[in-house]
């Protein structure tokens, strides 16, 4: 039986009058890659942001391994460090070079020795194929390169799980492949991942489980095989075919060119 | 002949005027140091502070920006003579500092708010505290953006330091008045005084441009 | 408490006279500043050679020196050249010249922020450059200039207090006179300050209303920004 890394129980979140999450429960196991799909406005991003408390949920509990995630508790920062997050619009620190972006977390948060932190940062940049651009500022990088640095930044904290919030949706089509490639490598290396994305090619190839979110709860989940080819619910089928049409042919961009 | 003689007397007073420059610069630098610290603090209270802290910063800024510097100056001066002893020199330093801090707090606030929200979120997601996020991520970017606006405000402080004249502090302007009275050459004297101020503001603006250029980072231009 | 109110009632007539002078100074200076500032902005933006150089020199000279130096040059300096001015006109001229340089820069900033395509489109319609400036660029720029211009209004009302240094009987000067009469400096200054704060908030409200009235969609420029 695989070990649960992240356990979400009965999560509720309201914005003004709209209830976005309506008692959502989900468990992610060690080494698992979970891809979350669903119509816009169903709380996919909110779910991720509630996990590391960038958004405060109204009720419900979230556990990282056996520790409950609670802001205000003394170990909150430590828990947050163990949850890597990759944002849709990268959010690289604009005043820092690529290598500084990756090193700042270990230096400031883990109080790591600077030399060690930069060595680590270079290693992580190499891992995402960005070592040559280590000295460049974010403004000098393409969107795809920025996102790869952002992934390295999260990896440098040695997280137990990585959250990806639509990591490719702000990218020009020709730059999506390089980011998905890095994510696939991570998945193959056994990283536990939760990915909000409509990149069907990635989902098909890398996901262990697809979670279809609708109306603030998990409407259907299962292997990619089942969700794509044999969904139980009509709504899921409709949604999948809509996405497939939107992606038309481009659904495995960059993945079949190696 | 008489005029030439008087004009020579004005020119002979230039070293005396330059002595006033030294005091003008002292007042300006002290006032700027104080107002920058205070202005930054107020801007942080305004953006990140809650409840009473936020309100205090807001009211301070509104109030100070609607009081003429001279009113603040005389208040401090008389407060000094009535309660605690503030010499005229410190009255002008403090008045400039309190007044400019309000404008600087708006400059810094604007710069902080121009940094996208995602920057702080990314810092928090790495496990940084809000405090670390402000000092390691937000301020290094916001302060760079604020430089040209801060530099402009600093030249205003330099120029406003001439109001110390009203309290009889012997900075450049007051010395100019003495020279003008002694030589009966106000036109020439005040032209020279004006030129000295012009050189000071010009030199300051140029050096701030250099600093702005030196610390620039691609993507963080104004 | 009562005695403070009584004191205020006692000094109010004098302060009110001062306030009227302050407002006269402000209006005079702002109008003069507008009359000089707008042509200076056009000269600096569209002028060539000597015209441009003169405008640049004028603007930078004024902006690089303290207002009090300009005031003293005009009030104490000009008589050297046979030009004698009364206190009030001297103050209005000095404040107006000072304001003109800042207003010129606000206008220039607004003109420069108008998309180049606007002028090109006007010329493509067959307008001359002058026609394009007057009919297309300026109407847009004048709206854009409102927020910084309202800041200038508030600045100017505050800075009229400098006229006290040549004994123009404006609000600040009235306050000082009362202080030497009543020996109540802090109380007097407190009420002077209160009047400035109230008058400036009323002016700010009025300017806000004017701005909103003249607003065109897609043409907002926030005054709070910087």
């Amino acid at each position: 039986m695989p070990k649960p890394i992240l356990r979400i129980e009965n999560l509720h979140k309201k914005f003004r009058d709209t209830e976005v999450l309506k008692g959502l429960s989900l468990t992610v196991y060690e080494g698992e890659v979970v891809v979350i799909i669903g119509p816009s406005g169903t709380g996919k991003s909110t779910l991720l942001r509630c996990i590391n408390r960038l958004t405060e949920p109204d009720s419900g509990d979230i556990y990282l391994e056996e520790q409950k995630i609670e802001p205000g508790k003394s170990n909150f920062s430590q828990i947050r460090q163990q949850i890597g997050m990759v944002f849709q619009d990268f959010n690289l620190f604009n005043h820092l070079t690529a290598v500084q972006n990756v090193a700042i977390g270990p230096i400031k948060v883990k109080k790591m020795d600077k030399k060690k932190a930069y060595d680590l940062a270079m290693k992580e940049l190499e891992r995402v194929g960005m070592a040559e651009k280590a000295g460049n500022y974010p403004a000098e990088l393409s969107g795809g390169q920025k996102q790869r640095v952002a992934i390295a930044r999260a990896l440098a904290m040695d997280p137990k799980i990585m959250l990806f919030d639509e990591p490719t949706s702000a990218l020009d089509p020709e730059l999506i492949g390089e980011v998905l490639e890095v994510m696939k490598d991570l998945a193959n290396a056994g990283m536990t991942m939760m990915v909000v994305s409509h990149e069907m090619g990635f989902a098909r190839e890398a996901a262990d489980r697809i979670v279809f979110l609708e109306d603030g709860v998990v409407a259907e989940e299962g292997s990619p095989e089942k969700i794509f080819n044999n969904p139980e619910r009509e709504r899921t089928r409709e949604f999948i075919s809509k996405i497939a049409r939107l992606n038309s042919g481009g659904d495995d961009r960059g993945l079949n060119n190696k | 002949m008489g005029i030439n003689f008087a004009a020579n007397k004005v020119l002979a007073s230039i070293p005396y005027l330059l002595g006033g420059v030294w005091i003008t610069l002292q007042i300006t630098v002290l006032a700027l140091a104080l107002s920058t610290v205070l202005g930054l603090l107020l801007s942080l209270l305004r953006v990140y502070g809650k409840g009473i802290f936020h309100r205090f910063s807001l009211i301070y800024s509104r109030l100070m920006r609607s009081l003429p510097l001279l009113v603040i100056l005389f208040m401090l001066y008389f407060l000094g003579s009535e309660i605690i002893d503030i010499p005229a020199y410190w009255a002008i330093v403090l008045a400039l500092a309190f007044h400019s801090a309000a404008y600087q707090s708006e400059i810094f606030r604007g710069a902080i708010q121009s940094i996208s929200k995602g920057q702080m979120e990314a810092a928090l997601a790495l496990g940084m505290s809000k405090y670390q996020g402000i000092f390691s991520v937000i301020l290094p970017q916001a302060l760079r953006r604020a430089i040209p606006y801060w530099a402009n405000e600093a030249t205003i402080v330099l120029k406003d330091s001439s109001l110390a004249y009203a309290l009889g502090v012997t900075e450049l302007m007051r010395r100019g008045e003495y020279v003008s009275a002694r030589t009966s050459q106000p036109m020439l004297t005040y032209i020279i005084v004006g030129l000295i101020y012009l050189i000071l503001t010009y030199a300051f603006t140029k050096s701030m441009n250099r600093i702005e250029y030196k610390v620039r980072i691609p993507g963080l231009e104004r | 408490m009562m005695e403070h109110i009584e004191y205020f009632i006692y000094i109010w007539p004098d302060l009110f006279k001062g306030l009227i002078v302050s407002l006269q100074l402000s209006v005079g200076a702002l109008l003069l500043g507008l009359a000089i500032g707008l042509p200076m902005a056009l000269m600096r933006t569209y002028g060539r050679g000597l015209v441009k150089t003169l405008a640049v020199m004028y603007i930078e000279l004024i902006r690089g020196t303290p207002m009090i130096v300009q005031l003293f040059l005009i009030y104490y300096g000009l008589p050297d050249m046979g030009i004698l001015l009364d206190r009030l006109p001297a103050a209005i001229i000095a404040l107006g010249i000072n304001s003109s340089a800042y207003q010129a820069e606000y206008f220039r900033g607004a003109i420069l922020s108008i998309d180049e395509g606007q002028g090109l489109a006007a010329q493509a319609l067959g307008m001359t450059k002058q026609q394009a400036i007057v009919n297309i660029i300026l109407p847009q720029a004048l709206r854009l200039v409102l927020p910084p211009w309202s800041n200038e209004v508030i600045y100017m009302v505050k800075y009229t207090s400098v006229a006290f240094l040549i004994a123009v009987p404006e609000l600040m000067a009235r306050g000082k006179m009362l202080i030497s009469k009543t020996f109540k400096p802090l109380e007097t200054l407190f009420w002077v300050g209160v009047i400035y704060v109230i008058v400036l908030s009323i002016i700010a409200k009025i300017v806000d209303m004017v701005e909103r009235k003249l607003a065109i969609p897609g043409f907002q420029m926030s005054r709070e920004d910087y």
Side-chain angles (χ1 to χ4, degrees):
Chain A
M1 186 67 199
K3 185 170 89 169
I5 292 281
L6 190 76
R7 211 169 79 232
I8 301 164
E9 288 177 358
N10 203 18
L11 199 61
H12 284 269
K13 177 67 190 176
K14 226 190 226 171
F15 290 107
R16 299 252 170 87
D17 299 328
T18 18
E19 198 172 13
V20 179
L21 298 177
K22 301 176 185 170
L24 183 146
S25 299
L26 182 68
T27 303
V28 180
Y29 297 92
E30 189 169 26
E32 197 183 20
V33 175
V34 175
V35 171
I36 298 168
I37 60 174
S40 65
T42 44
K44 303 183 298 286
S45 291
T46 306
L47 168 62
L48 289 197
R49 295 167 59 89
C50 280
I51 292 171
N52 66 358
R53 287 302 205 276
L54 287 180
T55 297
E56 192 57 28
D58 298 330
S59 66
D61 295 323
I62 304 176
Y63 299 85
L64 181 70
E65 293 187 319
E66 283 318 307
Q67 289 172 307
K68 194 167 165 185
I69 303 177
E70 275 175 301
K73 260 188 138 182
S74 57
N75 62 349
F76 178 54
S77 160
Q78 256 159 18
I79 295 183
R80 236 179 193 170
Q81 296 167 36
Q82 298 171 44
I83 305 171
M85 179 136 187
V86 175
F87 298 86
Q88 178 176 343
D89 41 9
F90 332 124
N91 291 338
L92 284 185
F93 302 133
N94 297 311
H95 64 304
L96 301 177
T97 59
V99 67
Q100 287 170 333
N101 258 285
V102 182
I104 191 172
I107 292 172
K108 293 283 172 191
V109 179
K110 291 191 164 172
K111 311 289 175 205
M112 192 185 278
D113 171 69
K114 279 198 177 159
K115 169 92 178 53
K116 259 177 80 183
Y118 278 96
D119 288 347
L120 170 69
M122 281 310 296
K123 215 187 75 204
E124 299 298 355
L125 284 178
E126 263 161 42
R127 187 165 170 189
V128 298
M130 286 296 297
E132 293 121 82
K133 300 277 184 185
N136 287 73
Y137 285 101
E140 299 165 331
L141 303 176
S142 73
Q145 292 174 328
K146 280 186 207 170
Q147 197 58 299
R148 281 147 69 195
V149 174
I151 292 172
R153 177 174 70 177
L155 285 173
M157 298 302 287
D158 194 20
K160 295 216 164 83
I161 182 170
M162 294 264 285
L163 313 177
F164 292 83
D165 187 4
E166 306 203 32
T168 56
S169 55
L171 296 176
D172 291 335
E174 73 272 18
L175 301 176
I176 291 176
E178 56 184 88
V179 172
L180 294 180
E181 197 64 40
V182 168
M183 289 169 61
K184 242 187 55 191
D185 286 347
L186 275 182
N188 289 338
M191 175 62 74
T192 312
M193 294 160 68
M194 234 172 126
V195 184
V196 170
S197 173
H198 289 156
E199 290 296 332
M200 291 302 144
F202 173 80
R204 224 182 266 276
E205 253 191 82
D208 297 304
R209 179 156 50 120
I210 310 271
V211 171
F212 179 62
L213 226 60
E214 195 181 34
D215 261 346
V217 290
V218 175
E220 184 167 359
E221 58 181 318
S223 65
E225 171 76 5
K226 178 195 150 200
I227 297 289
F228 287 131
N229 305 335
N230 236 336
E232 284 164 23
R233 294 169 74 256
E234 187 48 35
R235 290 277 301 149
T236 314
R237 186 192 309 277
E238 269 171 33
F239 181 76
I240 298 285
S241 70
K242 207 161 98 193
I243 292 294
R245 237 175 298 129
L246 284 175
N247 279 1
S248 60
D251 53 351
D252 41 10
R253 267 175 285 210
L255 289 179
N256 45 9
N257 60 3
K258 68 175 202 177
Chain B
M1 179 66 190
I3 295 232
N4 264 336
F5 178 66
N8 278 336
K9 258 169 66 182
V10 175
L11 295 180
S13 312
I14 288 184
Y16 175 70
L17 291 177
L18 292 180
V21 168
W22 172 233
I23 299 174
T24 291
L25 288 179
Q26 278 178 17
I27 292 173
T28 307
V29 169
L30 283 170
L32 276 177
L34 282 173
S35 58
T36 304
V37 172
L38 190 56
L40 199 54
L41 197 70
L42 285 166
S43 70
L44 291 175
L45 289 181
R46 181 87 169 272
V47 180
Y48 298 107
K50 300 215 159 57
I52 186 150
F53 295 109
H54 173 85
R55 281 206 72 75
F56 169 78
S57 169
L58 187 75
I59 291 170
Y60 179 94
S61 167
R62 288 259 166 88
L63 205 64
M64 279 293 166
R65 286 186 301 143
S66 39
L67 282 176
L69 182 58
L70 277 172
V71 173
I72 303 171
L73 181 60
F74 279 113
M75 273 186 183
L76 283 172
Y77 182 65
F78 285 115
L79 200 69
S81 59
E82 287 196 3
I83 303 167
I84 31 168
D85 195 28
I86 307 177
Y89 178 86
W90 284 102
I92 182 70
V93 168
L94 290 178
L96 282 170
F98 290 155
H99 187 243
S100 180
Y103 288 92
Q104 290 185 42
S105 76
E106 298 294 328
I107 291 170
F108 293 134
R109 178 184 66 88
I112 290 171
Q113 287 174 340
S114 78
I115 306 298
S116 82
K117 240 178 70 199
Q119 294 286 309
M120 180 56 105
E121 289 185 344
L124 294 177
L126 282 178
M128 286 191 199
S129 64
K130 199 163 181 184
Y131 181 84
Q132 281 177 319
I134 292 172
F135 284 91
S136 315
V137 174
I138 305 296
L139 284 186
Q141 302 183 47
L143 291 182
R144 278 189 173 83
R145 279 213 178 134
I147 289 175
Y149 306 96
W150 182 88
N152 184 47
E153 176 58 27
T155 63
I156 293 177
V157 171
L158 171 63
K159 286 181 282 176
D160 279 352
S161 74
S162 61
L163 293 181
Y165 164 89
L167 295 187
V169 178
T170 54
E171 40 65 78
L172 178 53
M173 189 64 205
R174 177 52 88 168
R175 290 192 181 202
E177 201 246 0
Y178 289 160
V179 172
S180 147
R182 215 168 48 220
T183 60
S184 310
Q185 290 280 311
M187 188 79 186
L188 182 59
T189 311
Y190 290 128
I191 286 178
I192 291 173
V193 169
L195 283 177
I196 296 176
Y197 275 112
L198 192 66
I199 292 167
L200 293 179
T201 49
Y202 181 80
F204 182 79
T205 307
K206 277 279 165 258
S207 38
M208 283 313 293
N209 284 348
R210 270 208 70 76
I211 291 176
E212 192 190 351
Y213 180 77
K214 273 223 161 114
V215 300
R216 82 202 182 286
I217 281 176
L220 267 179
E221 291 85 3
R222 45 175 137 162
Chain C
M1 188 64 210
M2 225 26 231
E3 58 176 318
H4 297 303
I5 307 274
E6 266 167 32
Y7 182 64
F8 176 69
I9 293 171
Y10 170 68
I11 62 175
W12 167 248
D14 274 22
L15 294 184
F16 181 71
K17 278 184 226 156
L19 174 61
I20 297 297
V21 176
S22 291
L23 293 178
Q24 283 172 343
L25 281 170
S26 311
V27 172
L30 284 166
L31 290 179
L32 181 62
L34 180 66
I36 306 175
L38 186 55
M40 282 293 165
L42 293 174
M43 282 163 68
R44 184 166 186 177
T45 319
Y46 297 110
R48 272 175 236 282
L50 189 63
V51 171
K52 189 186 173 111
T53 313
L54 277 176
V56 171
M57 276 175 58
Y58 175 85
I59 291 168
E60 295 308 327
L61 216 65
I62 305 279
R63 295 204 318 147
T65 51
M67 180 187 275
I68 171 173
V69 174
Q70 295 152 19
L71 182 67
F72 278 25
L73 256 176
I74 286 172
Y75 185 64
Y76 295 116
L78 284 185
D80 278 6
M81 304 173 71
I83 307 171
L84 260 161
L85 290 167
D86 272 339
R87 297 172 198 282
L88 191 67
I92 290 180
I93 291 172
L95 293 172
I97 287 177
N98 183 275
S99 182
S100 70
Y102 292 91
Q103 292 193 40
E105 286 300 89
Y106 297 141
F107 284 120
R108 189 170 71 103
I111 293 170
L112 291 179
S113 73
I114 303 292
D115 181 26
E116 209 186 343
Q118 297 283 319
L120 292 179
Q123 286 178 7
L125 286 177
M127 288 192 197
T128 64
K129 197 170 171 190
Q130 259 107 326
Q131 283 176 321
I133 292 172
V134 172
N135 295 313
I136 306 297
I137 307 286
L138 277 186
Q140 298 184 43
L142 288 182
R143 281 196 175 78
L144 278 184
V145 92
L146 268 176
W149 201 81
S150 20
N151 267 345
E152 177 66 13
V153 172
I154 286 162
Y155 256 104
M156 205 22 82
V157 176
K158 282 176 63 172
Y159 271 92
T160 54
S161 58
V162 171
F164 137 76
L165 298 171
I166 60 166
V168 174
E170 46 68 71
L171 185 50
M172 182 71 219
R174 290 281 176 182
K176 277 293 294 233
M177 283 182 237
L178 284 165
I179 290 172
S180 12
K181 209 162 94 185
T182 63
F183 299 107
K184 286 186 175 173
L186 287 177
E187 246 185 299
T188 313
L189 285 170
F190 171 79
W191 289 116
V192 169
V194 166
I195 294 176
Y196 273 115
V197 169
I198 291 176
V199 168
L200 282 171
S201 14
I202 293 173
I203 293 175
K205 276 264 157 15
I206 296 174
V207 187
D208 265 0
M209 268 164 46
V210 174
E211 261 174 50
R212 224 163 301 145
K213 263 236 149 90
L214 293 177
I216 292 181
F219 248 85
Q220 283 85 2
M221 208 180 181
S222 162
R223 183 147 54 99
E224 291 283 326
D225 272 359
Y226 279 107

